[in-house]
Amino acid sequence: MLTVDRADALVVQCVVAIGDEDLHRSHFWVRDATTDGLRPLEKYLDGMTEIRMIQDVLLERARRFDVP
């Protein structure tokens, strides 16, 4: 999805996604607990619909450009 014009660069493109929404949601609980609330759980849970939509767009774009 991007061009790197450097002879010394090794560029590996991939997209990591979580197919199961409940599992995805659980990651925010873990992150909240391990960061002492620096990244507030409620903010991410409230935005879950948008987060999943963004993931879908990224996955579609990756498929279009043959990015695993």
Side-chain angles (χ1 to χ4, degrees):
M1 291 193 273
L2 63 103
T3 303
V4 176
D5 190 23
R6 292 191 51 143
D8 60 341
L10 173 63
V11 177
V12 178
Q13 297 183 40
C14 69
V15 175
V16 177
I18 303 171
D20 182 278
E21 186 171 340
D22 290 331
L23 179 60
H24 197 171
R25 189 179 315 281
S26 75
H27 288 213
F28 297 117
W29 285 90
V30 172
R31 185 170 62 193
D32 183 66
T34 59
T35 63
D36 294 324
L38 277 174
R39 297 173 80 178
L41 171 66
E42 296 79 20
K43 172 184 172 181
Y44 294 97
L45 294 181
D46 289 346
M48 195 64 177
T49 300
E50 289 81 7
I51 291 168
R52 299 291 292 178
M53 288 172 60
I54 291 167
Q55 176 177 275
D56 290 343
V57 169
L58 291 172
L59 288 171
E60 176 54 36
R61 184 175 175 143
R63 280 189 286 274
R64 192 172 359 135
F65 289 94
D66 296 321
V67 173

